Amino acid sequence: MSTSGTYNFSMDIDEVIQEALEMIGGEQTLGYDPKSSRRSINLLLQDWQNRGVLLWSADTTVVTLAASVSSYELTSATIDVLEAVVNVSDTDIQLDRITMEEYLKIPRKSQTGRPTQYAVRRGRTNSTVYIWPIPDQTSYSLKLEKVRYLQDVNKSAVQIADISRRFLPCLSAGLAYFMSLKRPGITENRVGFLKGEYEERLARAMDEDRERSSMRIVPRLNRV
């Protein structure tokens, strides 16, 4: 016997919901389950992003800097900026991130030159990047490694969740747990089992979803 030779396994939202409801057992309310399940999936995805950076949700954006402009508003899909570099004559130079409090304490915010620092104000709907010093020319560009929100789930058929397939086991288990909280007749022991199963699967997936580069710690020595 031979293997399939393919590597394309996936599950659409309908299949995720079906898998989760089968894990729960008990009485089914099929007319309301899909809508309720989609809402729970969206809440699950938001919760995952509160727990850490998901690698597939990070990407690089290039912003062309304008002379004398100190701030740039990012799209509503952006959660935060992980790293920033300024490109000067095809050379990337790392910027230091400072807090908004530190940025506000800069005495001369109108100072011009090559940017060396940036701060991020994370608003309710949009994030804004502030750079300092203000660019003194238009030949600079800013490269941002940013993390974005996962896309919404708004259909059950012919739609997949905006996740790596490595997270499908914990998505279905998490949905089963969330739905068990809303479905009548599910025992407390069953709810507790589903929660434990979900957290275990999610912990494995989050542990695997990480960078594998070496970590180097260098002490910062301040001269007195």
Side-chain angles (χ1 to χ4, degrees):
M1 298 179 68
S2 62
T3 58
S4 66
T6 63
Y7 306 90
N8 303 316
F9 173 76
S10 185
M11 296 171 66
D12 64 21
I13 300 302
D14 265 339
E15 291 173 312
V16 172
I17 293 174
Q18 181 180 354
E19 178 72 12
L21 297 183
E22 289 175 355
M23 291 179 66
I24 298 173
E27 181 183 354
Q28 296 189 13
T29 53
L30 295 178
Y32 181 67
D33 278 341
K35 181 178 180 180
S36 180
S37 295
R38 291 194 298 270
R39 183 172 62 246
S40 291
I41 289 174
N42 283 315
L43 291 172
L44 270 173
L45 298 183
Q46 297 298 311
D47 181 55
W48 291 359
Q49 296 198 288
N50 288 334
R51 299 189 186 211
V53 175
L54 304 172
L55 292 185
W56 70 90
S57 66
D59 54 42
T60 302
T61 296
V62 178
V63 179
T64 301
L65 300 184
S68 302
V69 177
S70 62
S71 64
Y72 298 84
E73 187 174 277
L74 304 178
T75 67
S76 59
T78 302
I79 297 178
D80 198 5
V81 176
L82 304 177
E83 290 287 351
V85 299
V86 62
N87 184 272
V88 182
S89 302
D90 293 328
T91 301
D92 290 333
I93 303 173
Q94 183 177 6
L95 301 184
D96 292 325
R97 180 166 181 169
I98 59 176
T99 65
M100 282 304 303
E101 289 82 1
E102 290 172 317
Y103 176 79
L104 290 174
K105 293 176 183 178
I106 295 176
R108 293 185 57 213
K109 295 182 179 60
S110 60
Q111 179 177 330
T112 61
R114 174 177 61 79
T116 59
Q117 298 177 318
Y118 75 101
V120 181
R121 183 181 294 280
R122 300 178 63 187
R124 182 174 62 85
T125 56
N126 290 77
S127 295
T128 303
V129 175
Y130 295 81
I131 56 176
W132 185 85
I134 298 174
D136 56 356
Q137 53 183 284
T138 58
S139 61
Y140 299 136
S141 61
L142 189 66
K143 294 182 180 179
L144 303 174
E145 184 70 8
K146 60 184 181 63
V147 58
R148 62 170 176 81
Y149 286 103
L150 300 179
Q151 295 178 35
D152 302 333
V153 170
N154 50 32
K155 295 180 181 178
S156 296
V158 296
Q159 188 178 97
I160 61 174
D162 182 21
I163 63 173
S164 166
R165 64 180 180 178
R166 292 177 284 105
F167 277 70
L168 285 173
C170 48
L171 178 62
S172 54
L175 179 59
Y177 167 58
F178 273 40
M179 292 298 290
S180 71
L181 296 173
K182 298 185 283 186
R183 174 172 290 186
I186 306 303
T187 66
E188 185 175 336
N189 287 340
R190 187 62 179 173
V191 172
F193 168 79
L194 292 171
K195 179 180 181 180
E197 183 69 18
Y198 162 55
E199 293 291 350
E200 182 179 338
R201 293 187 187 187
L202 181 60
R204 285 199 299 266
M206 295 291 284
D207 183 63
E208 197 280 337
D209 191 62
R210 55 184 170 81
E211 296 281 7
R212 286 172 169 75
S213 60
S214 300
M215 181 179 179
R216 184 178 65 176
I217 300 176
V218 180
R220 175 178 292 179
L221 301 179
N222 295 324
R223 294 182 179 180
V224 180

